[in-house]
Every structure is written in C-alpha cells, then in structure tokens.
Amino acid sequence: MLTIALSKGRILDQTLPLLEEAGISIPQTELKSRKLILDTNFDDIQVIILRASDVPVFVQHGAADFGIAGKDVLIEHGADGVFELLDLGISKCRMMVASEKDKDLNKSSLKVATKYVRSAKEYFYSQGKQVEVIKLYGAMELAPIVGLSDCIVDLVDTGNTLKANNLVPLDLIYEVSSRLIVNSAAFNTKHSEINGWIQKIKESL
Ligand code: ATP
Ligand code: PRP
C-alpha cells in the first residue's frame, strides 16, 4: 500500500489535477465524504488530506510514503527524515517582511508577529537584529495595525491583503512553491514504486 499525504486548502485545488494527469484520481464521493483516508482508482494507493503543516510530520514518521507541502511549511518543520524531490511549481508566493509605511524598523529590538517563527528568526538573526517573535495562527496583517507588533513575516501573493490593511512589503525572505517530499526510508524500501509515480507526476507538470 502506498499512502500519499496532501495539504488541504489552496494547495489541494492545484494538486488534484496534477495527480489526475499522472493517473491517480480520487472519486468525488470520497472527496466529499468525512473520511480521513480516501480511496483512489488504485487498490494499493490511498490518500490522506491534512492541515498543510502536518504533511511533513506524517511523511517524516513514515505514516505517509510521500506528500505535497509548501516550501514555507518544510522550512518551518525542518524537513528531517524527508527528501524533497520535486518542485511542483504550484501555490507560488513569497515569504516577506511587511509593516506600516514609514515604520521605523531600525529600533534595537523589534516585535515581529508571524505564523512562521523559524523563518522569521533565521531572517532577522542573519541581519544581526534582536527580535521578539509573537506567534500567531492567522490574520498576521492585523498585528501592526493594532500595535501588537512592529512588523509581520507572512506569505504574499497578489499583495491585496497587505494593501487592504495599509501595509507595505519590505523585504523578500524566500520564494515559496509546493514540493513533493518522500519519507527517506520508504524511498529505499519502495523505490521503484515511488520513483515510478514521481516520474509520472514530473511528466504531468
Ligand atoms: P492552516 O489552516 O493549517 O493554518 P493555511 O491557512 O496556511 O493552513 P493555506 O492558506 O491553504 O493553509 O496555505 C497552504 C499553503 O499554500 C501554504 O503553506 C503556502 O505554501 C501556500 N500559500 C499560502 N498562502 C498563499 C497565497 N496567498 N498564494 C499562494 N500560495 C499560498
Ligand atoms: C495567505 C497569507 C496572506 C494572504 C496573502 O492567507 O497569510 O494573508 O494569503 O495573499 P495575497 O497577497 O494574494 O493577498 P490565507 O488566505 O491563506 O489565510 P490565513 O490567514 O488563514 O492563512
């Protein structure tokens, strides 16, 4: 049995056509059900649909053989025990620092609100800046407006969310796209099976 871990939400919408093109399809009845393990058109392939940040955890521990997750999620997780094999080029966006226009960020200690604690710490430490990171789980854009933080580290795509909240992008931390990751042990034990599917997915890009 091969188990594939997919991120729910926006990545899923772009992942399903990719898998379909590669030959793996999940019936609508499965997708619409409340089941957590979904059948596919192959008896020996099942799919689990998880919160984006849980995908590398399931793959790392071998509960899924391979999975699809954003580069942001992989950087935050640390990606221990997983091989990143393919850049799928989907769900592209940028990890950025943003703040209110004309905000002075040259203070000795900055408050940074973010869901992406590791990315934020590594970025500011690399700049030699002292930061207090305030962990949030969403609506980061609110933090500078209500005085919770001096700036945010968040994903930016169109820039509409920043604009709508009178924030400006300041610095690019890294580019994000979704990646195919594989459990390192499964990549050895089920090599030909996994590699076969990776090649098909590659061709369908
Ligand atoms: P959760 O609900 O578990 O906190 P989430 O809200 O981060 O997850 P999504 O918004 O669906 O979940 O984002 C999942 C992934 O999609 C992110 O990890 C990132 O790789 C990508 N992503 C997030 N925001 C955007 C965006 N605005 N444009 C393109 N890709 C994005
Ligand atoms: C993401 C991100 C930004 C927004 C950026 O949020 O956290 O808020 O998208 O996209 P834009 O530049 O195109 O406006 P999402 O919609 O995933 O909501 P979330 O806050 O629940 O993560």
Side-chain angles (χ1 to χ4, degrees), residues 1-2 38-46:
M1 178 63 76
L2 207 61
L38 308 186
D39 295 330
T40 68
N41 53 329
F42 289 91
D43 288 340
D44 57 352
I45 300 180
Q46 61 185 13

Side-chain angles (χ1 to χ4, degrees), residues 128-146:
K129 285 205 175 121
Q130 285 278 337
V131 288
E132 179 190 339
V133 175
I134 300 168
K135 165 92 184 181
L136 295 179
Y137 293 87
M140 267 76 81
E141 292 85 359
L142 196 55
I145 307 171
V146 297

Side-chain angles (χ1 to χ4, degrees), residues 3-196:
T3 303
I4 307 174
L6 301 182
S7 305
K8 64 173 147 195
R10 64 178 82 229
I11 294 184
L12 188 64
D13 300 338
Q14 294 179 52
T15 306
L16 293 178
L18 249 183
L19 288 182
E20 186 93 30
E21 185 73 26
I24 301 172
S25 55
I26 308 168
Q28 279 300 321
T29 46
E30 291 289 296
L31 286 167
K32 285 191 180 137
S33 75
R34 297 278 300 161
K35 282 169 68 181
L36 296 172
I37 301 181
L38 308 186
D39 295 330
T40 68
N41 53 329
F42 289 91
D43 288 340
D44 57 352
I45 300 180
Q46 61 185 13
V47 166
I48 52 179
I49 298 180
L50 308 169
R51 283 189 78 162
S53 48
D54 288 339
V55 168
V57 180
F58 276 67
V59 175
Q60 173 190 14
H61 293 281
D65 297 297
F66 70 89
I68 292 173
K71 184 67 183 173
D72 51 320
V73 160
L74 298 178
I75 287 174
E76 288 300 310
H77 171 266
D80 288 337
V82 308
F83 294 145
E84 185 186 311
L85 292 186
L86 212 52
D87 182 350
L88 299 171
I90 56 170
S91 296
K92 285 186 173 183
C93 52
R94 287 150 285 146
M95 187 66 77
M96 300 208 68
V97 184
S99 75
E100 287 172 299
K101 198 167 174 273
D102 301 328
K103 180 88 186 172
D104 175 21
L105 295 184
N106 287 317
K107 305 194 292 187
S108 58
S109 180
L110 279 183
K111 282 187 181 170
V112 183
T114 189
K115 182 153 91 176
Y116 308 96
V117 172
R118 191 173 190 155
S119 303
K121 282 188 176 164
E122 281 179 7
Y123 169 78
F124 283 105
Y125 291 165
S126 76
Q127 306 267 311
K129 285 205 175 121
Q130 285 278 337
V131 288
E132 179 190 339
V133 175
I134 300 168
K135 165 92 184 181
L136 295 179
Y137 293 87
M140 267 76 81
E141 292 85 359
L142 196 55
I145 307 171
V146 297
L148 178 63
S149 71
D150 298 298
C151 61
I152 60 170
V153 165
D154 194 10
L155 296 172
V156 179
D157 178 19
T158 59
N160 289 341
T161 313
L162 289 183
K163 210 178 285 173
N165 293 289
N166 295 317
L167 301 179
V168 288
L170 296 175
D171 208 0
L172 173 71
I173 303 184
Y174 54 78
E175 303 272 354
V176 173
S177 56
S178 292
R179 311 295 163 102
L180 190 146
I181 55 167
V182 181
N183 172 270
S184 48
F187 195 52
N188 290 323
T189 54
K190 302 181 185 176
H191 188 81
S192 62
E193 201 182 347
I194 292 177
N195 215 26

